[in-house]
């Protein structure tokens, strides 16, 4: 496969984190927009992006982009795209998702059916067939309309990349794995620093942190739709990518990562999830209320997703909960705290104004990432040889 454009959607407000990840993976960014980053790559890049990126929701192979204000335009311009370069004659193809923002064409079902017809017409001409049985590999198509600009991509991932494969059991309001990873990356936490999540739920923050510390690629234990695209990606590239991921793992490390929750069943679920992720030996889970948040060492990090109180009866308990959290945190001399929540009175009851505050959309829910930044630890002095 020649060089192509690949689109990586992400959470709104976290594009900069994903951009840095893609650059670190060795690829050139071509465009950054709200909720997605486009970059240049090849067949190997499709494999590596799916396996290694922690903050992308999926990887799309860009097929085309054009303006369309009428359904006729949408049909003709979709038909003009070289679908035969991507989808074989026996391929199963459909428009799995259509999203439209500030565009004249806004009905997802109409966009989907018209584009499918246009793809069929194009492939009839190219393959000299009147009927496609679609018994081969799946080639799902995703389309996004923004201000009448239509962007079309083939979904190489299939199931969203936040599904790492380890979270079989989850708590009431779980945070997605991709969002948790991105939020950790927004902090200065590194594997030699302490990390505590006092509302750990199903364990997502501690598990994602432990996977980062052990250099475990998030997608190395799951499958992807594009693995069956042997017309585009040789199987060997997938094997090579997993070999690369395995070689990079280093879980023989010492870390201090802890997760607490008041609910014993939730803690059991978190332990099982950590086991399935291969990081159970790196995390200490404990049933403990936030009022008992404490640690003997300095310069640690609290990174957490406390209850939001989306239901009325839960909302009544939030002032006490956030007050207890704030009082416990005050005693953690020199620590930093980072929390994502939609609760509007967070700072009031936590008892401190955030040093930084970042708006992030968790799905359709507007949340804030409150950052209470503590002092930096003193630099370690390296002793010269011969010194006592």
């Amino acid at each position: 496969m020649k060089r192509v454009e690949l689109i990586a959607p992400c959470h709104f407000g976290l594009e900069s984190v994903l951009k840095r990840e893609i650059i670190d993976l060795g690829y050139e960014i071509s465009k950054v927009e709200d909720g997605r980053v486009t970059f240049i790559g090849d067949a190997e890049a499709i494999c590596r992006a799916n396996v290694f990126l922690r903050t992308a929701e999926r990887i799309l192979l860009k097929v085309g982009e054009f303006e369309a204000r009428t359904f006729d335009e949408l049909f003709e311009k979709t038909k003009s795209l070289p679908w035969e370069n991507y989808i074989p004659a026996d391929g199963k193809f459909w428009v799995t998702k259509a999203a439209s923002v500030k565009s004249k064409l806004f009905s997802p079902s109409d966009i989907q059916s018209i584009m499918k017809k246009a793809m069929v017409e194009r492939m009839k001409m190219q393959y000299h067939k009147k009927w496609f049985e679609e018994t081969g590999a799946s080639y799902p198509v995703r389309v996004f309309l923004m201000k009448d600009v239509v962007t079309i991509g083939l979904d190489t991932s299939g199931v969203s990349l936040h599904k790492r494969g380890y979270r079989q059991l989850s708590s009431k309001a779980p945070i997605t794995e991709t969002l948790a990873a991105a939020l950790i990356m927004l902090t200065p936490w590194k594997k030699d620093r302490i990390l505590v999540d006092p509302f750990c739920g199903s364990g997502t923050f501690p598990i994602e942190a432990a996977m980062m510390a052990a250099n475990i690629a998030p997608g190395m234990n799951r499958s992807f739709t594009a693995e069956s695209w042997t017309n585009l990606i040789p199987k060997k590239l997938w094997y090579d990518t997993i070999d690369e991921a395995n070689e990079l793992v280093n879980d023989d490390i010492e870390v201090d990562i802890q997760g607490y929750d008041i609910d014993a069943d939730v803690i059991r679920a978190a332990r099982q999830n950590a086991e399935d992720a291969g990081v159970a030996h790196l995390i200490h889970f404990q049933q403990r209320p936030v009022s008992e948040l404490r640690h003997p060492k300095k310069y640690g990090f609290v990174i957490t997703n406390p209850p939001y109180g989306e239901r009325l009866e839960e909302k009544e308990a939030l002032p006490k909960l956030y007050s207890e959290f704030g009082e416990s945190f005050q005693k953690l001399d020199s620590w930093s705290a980072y929390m994502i929540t939609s609760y509007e009175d967070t700072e009031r009851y936590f008892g401190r104004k955030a040093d930084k505050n970042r708006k992030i959309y968790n799905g359709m829910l507007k949340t804030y990432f409150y950052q209470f930044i503590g002092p930096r630890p003193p630099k370690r002095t390296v002793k010269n040889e011969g010194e006592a």
Side-chain angles (χ1 to χ4, degrees):
M1 185 192 290
K2 61 183 190 310
R3 276 158 64 86
V4 292
E5 278 196 300
L6 300 170
I7 303 167
C10 64
H11 282 274
F12 281 86
L14 295 171
E15 299 82 5
S16 61
V17 182
L18 176 55
K19 178 185 172 184
R20 189 170 73 234
E21 264 206 289
I22 292 167
I23 291 168
D24 287 348
L25 208 54
Y27 301 111
E28 177 192 341
I29 305 293
S30 57
K31 200 192 297 184
V32 179
E33 302 161 276
D34 285 347
R36 56 185 171 154
V37 179
T38 304
F39 62 104
I40 310 296
D42 53 12
E44 184 186 57
I46 292 173
C47 305
R48 294 184 74 237
N50 273 298
V51 170
F52 287 107
L53 291 179
R54 297 183 190 278
T55 64
E57 292 301 310
R58 59 186 67 249
I59 303 299
L60 306 176
L61 168 55
K62 186 174 174 181
V63 177
E65 189 170 277
F66 52 78
E67 282 192 19
R69 291 177 178 80
T70 67
F71 284 120
D72 282 344
E73 260 190 300
L74 179 67
F75 180 89
E76 291 301 331
K77 290 182 177 178
T78 300
K79 186 180 165 187
S80 71
L81 294 173
W83 292 104
E84 67 282 358
N85 290 352
Y86 304 97
I87 304 173
D90 69 344
K92 181 182 179 184
F93 57 97
W94 73 102
V95 182
T96 181
K97 172 108 177 169
S100 179
V101 177
K102 297 178 183 173
S103 298
K104 295 201 170 45
L105 305 178
F106 56 83
S107 165
S109 57
D110 289 336
I111 292 165
Q112 287 168 294
S113 62
I114 284 163
M115 285 182 63
K116 168 78 180 196
K117 284 174 189 167
M119 291 167 70
V120 169
E121 287 306 308
R122 168 77 185 202
M123 290 172 69
K124 274 183 182 176
M125 293 189 305
Q126 297 299 317
Y127 287 119
H128 310 293
K129 290 180 75 166
K130 290 184 178 177
W131 176 257
F132 294 93
E133 291 186 3
E134 301 191 41
T135 54
S138 293
Y139 294 79
V141 175
R142 287 180 171 252
V143 58
F144 180 67
L145 284 75
M146 178 68 176
K147 294 181 180 174
D148 302 319
V149 175
V150 183
T151 306
I152 302 169
L154 284 169
D155 182 1
T156 73
S157 305
V159 174
S160 173
L161 294 181
H162 80 261
K163 301 237 172 145
R164 319 285 207 215
Y166 68 74
R167 197 166 75 183
Q168 312 304 321
L169 304 157
S170 67
S171 53
K172 278 187 295 186
I175 190 168
T176 66
E177 295 86 331
T178 45
L179 179 53
L183 295 177
I184 294 168
M185 288 180 187
L186 277 177
T187 78
W189 179 80
K190 295 287 184 286
K191 63 184 176 185
D192 61 343
R193 306 283 293 275
I194 304 155
L195 187 152
V196 176
D197 180 356
F199 301 99
C200 74
S202 52
T204 311
F205 272 127
I207 291 169
E208 288 296 318
M211 288 176 72
M212 286 179 201
N215 220 1
I216 297 171
M220 65 187 291
N221 294 313
R222 53 158 285 172
S223 58
F224 308 96
T225 295
E227 285 180 60
S228 60
W229 297 0
T230 49
N231 61 316
L232 297 175
I233 307 171
K235 275 278 188 191
K236 184 177 183 301
L237 290 181
W238 290 104
Y239 298 138
D240 289 348
T241 302
I242 295 302
D243 285 346
E244 180 189 358
N246 277 314
E247 283 170 17
L248 290 170
V249 173
N250 177 21
D251 62 359
D252 184 21
I253 52 173
E254 281 192 26
V255 291
D256 189 344
I257 300 172
Q258 302 185 28
Y260 310 144
D261 202 282
I262 198 167
D263 188 325
D265 291 337
V266 163
I267 287 292
R268 271 193 290 275
R271 284 195 183 113
Q272 184 59 57
N273 290 338
E275 191 74 45
D276 293 343
V279 293
H281 63 297
L282 300 176
I283 307 169
H284 174 67
F285 286 111
Q286 189 177 1
Q287 183 186 1
R288 187 192 285 198
V290 73
S291 57
E292 292 179 22
L293 169 62
R294 61 177 71 94
H295 198 287
K297 293 183 181 173
K298 290 190 166 196
Y299 306 110
F301 287 79
V302 172
I303 305 178
T304 193
N305 173 39
Y308 301 170
E310 292 305 302
R311 292 201 296 271
L312 190 62
E313 65 273 18
E314 291 175 348
K315 206 155 202 148
E316 291 169 1
L318 293 186
K320 182 173 184 285
L321 189 73
Y322 280 76
S323 295
E324 287 178 345
F325 184 15
E327 286 162 17
S328 297
F329 179 69
Q330 272 184 1
K331 296 169 191 166
L332 286 169
D333 181 33
S334 74
W335 279 51
S336 299
Y338 297 82
M339 72 174 105
I340 181 169
T341 177
S342 65
Y343 184 46
E344 291 174 358
D345 287 327
T346 290
E347 291 169 310
R348 177 185 168 193
Y349 289 109
F350 192 69
R352 178 175 161 185
K353 187 161 175 54
D355 298 296
K356 288 184 182 176
N357 189 352
R358 190 177 185 127
K359 183 163 62 175
I360 292 164
Y361 279 89
N362 185 3
M364 297 306 291
L365 183 65
K366 183 169 71 173
T367 62
Y368 292 92
F369 191 46
Y370 292 96
Q371 303 170 52
F372 304 90
I373 301 167
R376 287 185 177 185
K379 285 190 176 172
R380 293 192 181 104
T381 53
V382 181
K383 289 183 180 178
N384 295 321
E385 274 187 64
E387 276 190 55

